[in-house]
Amino acid sequence: MNEKLLSRAANIADLKRIAKTRIPAFAFEYLMGGCNDDRALTNNRHQLDQIFLQPRNLNHATVVDTSATLFGRTYDSPIGIAPVGLSGVAWPRASEFQAQAAHKHNIPFVLSSVATTSIETAARHAKENFWFQLYPPRDLEMRSDMLRRARYAGCENLVVTVDVPSLSWRPRDIKNGLAIPPRISLKSVYQTITHPHWAIATAKAGMPEFETLKPYINTSQGLKKTAQNIRHALREIVDESVLRQIRDSWHGNLIVKGILSIDDARSAVDCGADGLIVSNHGGRQLDAAVSPIQVLSDIKDELGERAVIMADSGVESGVDVARYLACGARMVFAGRAFMYGVSALGRYGGAHTIDILNSELRQVLEQLRCPNTSALPDYLT
Ligand SMILES: Cc1cc2nc3c(=O)[nH]c(=O)nc-3n(C[C@H](O)[C@H](O)[C@H](O)COP(=O)(O)O)c2cc1C
């Protein structure tokens, strides 16, 4: 662990505070915001705080093991990097830095379809730790080409996100005019020049673009039209028939992200899903959404034998990771925490975020006298 970085940022809250000073407000608000009135975002925190663990101080567990084995592979930690779109707005090359860190620390890295790094570049950095998240395109040729590229890049785990049937209502982004490319206003120019680190890094890396989608989207009709084209191309509602089509054309593991009910969990597994990510998209889609931690144990009890159950939303520490694991997740993803990491610390941010989360998780296991992450459910009150 890097002691110098640790003295600046010892937890995710520190990374968030530093990120806020380093990046323009429109970028920070895009990352941290929920939707509507942020009720789901707040509830994620509230519900995680209701999960308590009971130590067994007299247990004879001297060594703790934080590794996690799923889909036949062992990762060093049960913590993964969640897919984040428009990643280059938070920090240029954010997804590349995260992919490198995931490879170095042997954890999963999930690239978003709408990240600003291409499938090929991310896979080159993450190597065998590369997972790909698909917003299924309407156009079947485009869809199968994206799957072909993912497979060719070595991806074994495809994550299909099903919880974005509608563009969400995010007042901050609406007011900030956040779009790709960002709408230029006096306010955004001011925010940019008052954050020189971000401005210089962005100038060096070039304006972020949807690298994975470039081959399919007509970019010659002006900037605004390009953004509209992308929204149109990816607005496929993912129902059971779409999932079955994807299952038929994807030979690796199929993971469905955005599950919040036993019914959906069962449907996804009936359609051939190998894994589920119980998630409310970090509280960014439906402000009245139930929090994943409220439904995780039930989904695990019902489907845990048939699919690998994973979770995300609201992870702000290794303690939160332990809470999700205790409720039945086998892998826990974090989105914002890793983005704050790279926004705060650039290329060092991905690895430092992993270090923080994993050290905190390890400390929880030691304190509980719990030998490994799969034993955590026994420590739930
Ligand atoms: C800025 C931002 C962009 C996101 N973009 C995507 C995306 O492109 N695809 C996707 O499946 N999920 C996306 N998500 C959701 C994350 O994958 C993940 O579910 C969520 O961030 C977990 O909550 P957390 O940020 O509290 O850890 C995004 C989340 C954030 C914060």
Side-chain angles (χ1 to χ4, degrees), residues 94-112:
S95 298
E96 278 176 59
F97 297 150
Q98 293 179 345
Q100 287 163 1
H103 173 64
K104 185 168 163 225
H105 288 260
N106 186 26
I107 64 166
F109 165 77
V110 192
L111 180 78
S112 162

Side-chain angles (χ1 to χ4, degrees), residues 59 61 63-65 364-366 368-373 375-376 379:
N59 243 17
V63 183
V64 306
D65 174 10
V364 172
L365 291 173
E366 286 170 359
L368 290 171
R369 316 272 303 148
C370 175
N372 55 55
T373 52
L376 269 167
Y379 293 73

Side-chain angles (χ1 to χ4, degrees), residues 88-273:
V89 166
W91 196 263
R93 300 175 57 202
S95 298
E96 278 176 59
F97 297 150
Q98 293 179 345
Q100 287 163 1
H103 173 64
K104 185 168 163 225
H105 288 260
N106 186 26
I107 64 166
F109 165 77
V110 192
L111 180 78
S112 162
S113 293
V114 290
T116 54
T117 297
S118 70
I119 292 177
E120 291 74 15
T121 303
R124 204 171 57 242
H125 290 294
K127 300 193 169 67
E128 67 282 6
N129 295 52
F130 176 66
W131 296 23
F132 180 61
Q133 177 264 330
L134 185 75
Y135 282 131
R138 292 169 197 256
D139 182 83
L140 293 184
E141 268 179 41
M142 174 174 171
R143 194 192 291 173
S144 72
D145 195 56
M146 286 173 77
L147 293 182
R148 182 195 58 75
R149 286 170 63 194
R151 190 168 50 242
Y152 192 71
C155 174
E156 288 173 5
N157 298 304
L158 179 74
V159 176
V160 177
T161 299
V162 298
D163 62 358
V164 187
S166 156
L167 284 180
S168 82
W169 193 257
R170 299 191 191 129
R172 291 182 190 85
D173 296 349
I174 294 168
K175 283 187 278 191
N176 289 330
L178 190 91
I180 268 280
R183 206 187 301 148
I184 308 297
S185 66
L186 264 185
K187 197 164 108 187
S188 62
V189 170
Y190 174 77
Q191 288 178 7
T192 303
I193 55 178
T194 51
H195 293 84
H197 291 299
W198 181 93
I200 292 166
T202 300
K204 268 196 203 152
M207 189 61 96
E209 293 191 68
F210 293 104
E211 296 294 338
T212 293
L213 303 179
K214 262 182 169 174
Y216 318 107
I217 306 290
N218 182 353
T219 51
S220 64
Q221 294 167 290
L223 302 176
K224 195 170 168 203
K225 186 78 178 130
T226 302
Q228 277 172 4
N229 289 346
I230 289 172
R231 277 202 294 273
H232 177 79
L234 297 184
R235 275 205 62 201
E236 172 70 292
I237 308 265
V238 190
D239 57 17
E240 287 187 14
S241 71
V242 174
L243 268 188
R244 284 186 201 280
Q245 285 166 8
I246 295 172
R247 173 70 288 176
D248 287 345
S249 48
W250 176 255
H251 301 293
N253 297 307
L254 177 66
I255 295 151
V256 177
K257 173 173 182 278
I259 296 293
L260 285 174
S261 71
I262 290 180
D263 282 352
D264 271 359
R266 199 178 291 119
S267 301
V269 175
D270 287 346
C271 290

